[in-house]
Each structure stands twice: as C-alpha cells, then as structure tokens.
Amino acid sequence: MPCLWVVFVGGTGTGKSTLFNAFCGKPLSDTGVERPKTIGPVTYVHCDCPVENGFPFESMQMDRFPSEDVNGKPSPGAPGHMTILEHKRASLSHLVIVDTPDIDSVEAANRQIAEDLYLISDAVVFVTSQEKYADEVPYQFLVKVMGNEKPYFFLMNKMQEPLTSEEVAGALSRQGIVADPDRVWLISYDGVQPSRRISEDPGFSSFRQCFEREFSEDVVEALHR
C-alpha cells in the first residue's frame, strides 16, 4: 500500500472518535453516548492517495467525499462501507488515518471491521480509559497489540486521578501487559468541551509530537521495509 495506515482502536465510551477528531483537527467522526456510535470506519486521507490500492477486504465498499462536505456534521460511518474523507494537507499526504468501530461493539460486524483494519495497520493508536482498560475484550486486544512489533501509542483518556505514565505502565504490568512508559500518554477529563480541551492537553500534545517525529514523511520507506 502506498501510504502508512494508522488506526485508532478502542472500547466503547473511551473517547476514541473524539481523539481521532482532535488528531485530524476537524470534527470528522461522530461522537456521543449512543452505542454503537461508529458503525463503519471513517478515514481521513489525502485526495491523491490511492487508498484503494492493495486493500484486501473486497466486501467493504469505498465511498469518497471531500472532508469540506462534513460542514460540522461528523459521520458515524456506514455498515459495509469505508467512509473516506479527502483533504489536501501536504503534511498528512503519506498517512491513512482511520477511526474504527468499537472493538467491544455489540455488533459482531463492527468488531470484525476493527480486527481487519488492525491487521493491515502500520501503527496503532490504542485508546482506553480508567474504567475500561481492564475490561476483557479491550484487554485481550491490547495484549495482541503489545505482542506485535508494529509501533503503538497507548492513550489513557478521561483521566480523573493525578497518575504518571510510569504508574499506569505499572498497573498494566500487574495485569500481565508489559508497556513502555514512553509509549503511554495520559489525557485528563473535561466533560464540558472535550474536543477543544483535548487539543490543548499536555498529554495529547506530547503524543502528537512523538507521532509526528516517528511518522514523518521522510521515514515512510524505512517503515515500509
């Protein structure tokens, strides 16, 4: 595939889509309390990136739209479809950034989509929260993520306690998951304006800086190898 695939994965109610939107800098993926909320993958990609090339899941229909068409109406995705929102940002032209359905969705098809897109990803942004990280399905998925060699970014969202990355990594270790504290970022909770707050959060800013350093355009070829 010509671009690097970065997938946001996480359990129900962890704020995955909100973080995806903050990362992309636009309200692309629908957020809210309904379950399931993301019912199909929402993808942010450069208009010149042939995202269809080499895509192995023929049952998933590709639907392209200019991201400007969103007009403040984020997409929940569509079952059996990949909603592709195009942009013209040169700084992201080498990336395919995907918000996936919940890995613990009540819909089996949604869970399968998340699994499938994880398989083709070049990097994983795993989103969880204090009340969800030990749930069985996200836990088992995280075990798989940590066991692979592909780069991962562990975001503990909705933090309400003053913990450190080392303390969270220690808690994961006691659950049998070995996580590098340098791959763990903590994002504080604010229920009033989460999207605007996240973009200003020190933990999210640190994650983004690390991501941009490790996945700059000049390292694409090396990462593919």
Side-chain angles (χ1 to χ4, degrees):
M1 297 184 185
C3 300
L4 294 173
W5 285 69
V6 180
V7 298
F8 279 67
V9 298
T12 301
T14 58
K16 169 180 56 63
S17 295
T18 300
L19 290 174
F20 168 82
N21 289 342
F23 185 82
C24 296
K26 298 187 69 172
L28 303 171
S29 189
D30 204 2
T31 61
V33 298
E34 298 90 344
R35 299 291 177 261
K37 190 65 179 181
T38 304
I39 57 177
V42 178
T43 305
Y44 195 48
V45 64
H46 193 273
C47 57
D48 291 335
C49 180
V51 69
E52 300 86 352
N53 285 10
F55 190 74
F57 307 112
E58 296 180 356
S59 61
M60 194 178 302
Q61 180 175 322
M62 304 285 203
D63 300 328
R64 281 183 175 260
F65 308 94
S67 60
E68 290 76 12
D69 289 354
V70 174
N71 289 329
K73 296 180 180 179
S75 173
H81 295 247
M82 175 174 283
T83 301
I84 301 171
L85 302 177
E86 297 179 334
H87 63 80
K88 298 180 180 179
R89 298 166 61 181
S91 61
L92 299 178
S93 61
H94 60 299
L95 300 175
V96 179
I97 309 169
V98 189
D99 183 23
T100 65
D102 299 334
I103 56 175
D104 56 354
S105 173
V106 296
E107 298 290 344
N110 288 348
R111 299 195 301 272
Q112 188 61 53
I113 289 171
E115 290 272 0
D116 289 345
L117 292 174
Y118 166 75
L119 289 174
I120 65 171
S121 66
D122 296 290
V124 180
V125 181
F126 185 91
V127 180
T128 190
S129 57
Q130 285 181 283
E131 70 275 14
K132 291 287 293 187
Y133 81 94
D135 285 5
E136 182 63 20
V137 174
Y139 167 80
Q140 293 296 339
F141 198 94
L142 182 58
V143 168
K144 180 162 55 177
V145 169
M146 298 297 189
N148 285 337
E149 295 183 357
K150 66 178 67 178
Y152 71 88
F153 302 83
F154 181 94
L155 304 187
M156 180 75 86
N157 194 23
K158 301 183 179 181
M159 292 294 296
Q160 300 187 54
E161 299 178 26
L163 301 177
T164 65
S165 297
E166 289 75 15
E167 289 172 322
V168 171
L172 291 171
S173 177
R174 291 189 289 275
Q175 296 286 336
I177 300 174
V178 179
D180 183 346
D182 291 337
R183 311 301 298 177
V184 176
W185 289 268
L186 312 182
I187 301 171
S188 59
Y189 180 74
D190 184 343
V192 180
Q193 292 180 312
S195 296
R196 188 173 73 178
R197 184 267 309 163
I198 284 173
S199 63
E200 301 169 352
D201 185 90
F204 183 80
S205 297
S206 176
F207 150 66
R208 184 157 195 159
Q209 290 170 6
C210 178
F211 182 94
E212 291 174 349
R213 181 172 61 252
E214 294 186 9
F215 282 81
S216 62
E217 190 169 7
D218 56 355
V219 301
V220 171
E221 186 175 343
L223 285 171
H224 269 153
R225 287 201 300 272

